[in-house]
Amino acid sequence: MPQQPVRIAPSILSSDFSILGEEVRRIDEGGADYIHIDVMDGHFVPNLTFGAPVVKCLRPHSKKIFDVHLMIAPVDPLIEDFVKAGSDIITAHVEAGPHLHRTLQAIKSHGVKAGVSLNPHTPIESIQHVMDMVDLILIMTVNPGFGGQSFIPVLDKIAAARKMIDAIGRDIDLEVDGGVNPETAKQVIAAGADVLVAGTAVFKDGPEQYAANIKALRG
Ligand code: DX5
Ligand code: ZN
């Protein structure tokens, strides 16, 4: 499928964790398309966030798509918990285990959308043979683990992913995550991205700015 309209997926990693539900409602009202939920395990990535029980508590606060980015290894034992918690899209990393195909099969077996994510160094060819199963490709433009890092310009990889999606003709989101701000947003959209994750750029300057911050990323 060709590039779809740009959608914005604010990452709640940059929100106030003491009022997560309220923050989710605010970005929903501010025009978020997806709610991007970063799950970190202190093992696959050097930071910890939260697990499925928190996602379950957030579910009543928004009807928007819950885009759950799992930075955990192993992935498979926790998939069912994240499905039951209300995830709409579950994304696993290529680098998180030896059996990516099995992981994607497991996600899809629950009837939710399956995403695959690639760290900045991971070649796009690594997902060539799962293109028929994925609903979302997430290209990392920082090393995963923390918000507020500088954009790593793997624009050639985004463009290559765009070509692969266009060639297969399936409805696959091309999402970019890390260091996205109004300037880098233009670059990744030009390279073919159609879903932009942003933490710092959405949550800066307080809740009254969320809507304007989201709008500024649409290119
Ligand atoms: C990083 C996370 C990102 C992060 C983006 O591991 O996957 O979603 O929150 O944060 P910013 O937009 O601040 O780079
Ligand atoms: Zn993320």
Side-chain angles (χ1 to χ4, degrees):
M1 288 282 283
Q3 195 167 357
Q4 302 168 72
V6 172
R7 284 144 296 153
I8 307 298
S11 164
I12 60 170
L13 183 63
S14 300
S15 71
D16 181 344
F17 278 22
S18 72
I19 48 163
L20 266 180
E22 173 70 16
E23 292 278 66
V24 166
R25 290 200 300 279
R26 286 170 177 163
I27 53 174
D28 178 326
E29 286 160 17
D33 298 289
Y34 293 180
I35 309 295
H36 187 80
I37 300 176
D38 286 309
V39 178
M40 303 185 184
D41 67 352
H43 166 71
F44 177 67
V45 291
N47 195 10
L48 277 171
T49 55
F50 41 68
V54 172
V55 177
K56 189 177 180 188
C57 288
L58 292 176
R59 188 66 275 189
H61 292 272
S62 174
K63 290 189 165 57
K64 300 268 169 91
I65 291 168
F66 270 22
D67 169 28
V68 177
H69 179 191
L70 296 182
M71 288 162 273
I72 65 175
V75 184
D76 295 10
L78 289 175
I79 290 170
E80 193 173 353
D81 286 355
F82 283 99
V83 172
K84 286 186 177 156
S87 308
D88 296 295
I89 306 169
I90 295 181
T91 296
H93 268 260
V94 173
E95 309 84 4
H99 300 294
L100 176 67
H101 190 284
R102 177 182 288 143
T103 299
L104 295 171
Q105 275 182 324
I107 296 170
K108 290 186 81 73
S109 75
H110 291 286
V112 300
K113 292 193 171 182
V116 65
S117 182
L118 295 88
N119 282 336
H121 76 283
T122 303
I124 196 68
E125 289 76 17
S126 63
I127 61 166
Q128 194 176 337
H129 299 289
V130 294
M131 287 296 289
D132 58 334
M133 350 169 42
V134 296
D135 301 296
L136 179 147
I137 296 170
L138 171 49
I139 307 280
M140 292 304 302
T141 42
V142 295
N143 289 301
F146 303 95
Q149 303 182 79
S150 299
F151 180 75
I152 300 171
V154 289
L155 296 167
D156 57 332
K157 186 156 64 170
I158 298 168
R162 176 82 266 144
K163 277 198 183 137
M164 286 165 67
I165 293 169
D166 292 352
I168 199 162
R170 293 187 60 244
D171 205 357
I172 300 174
D173 287 349
L174 181 50
E175 184 173 58
V176 172
D177 185 0
V180 173
N181 57 41
E183 186 147 320
T184 55
K186 285 192 184 67
Q187 298 172 32
V188 302
I189 293 167
D194 51 21
V195 183
L196 310 188
V197 177
T200 307
V202 167
F203 286 93
K204 70 183 177 103
D205 302 330
E208 55 292 335
Q209 291 305 312
Y210 293 173
N213 291 342
I214 289 169
K215 190 158 178 262
L217 295 169
R218 292 194 190 276

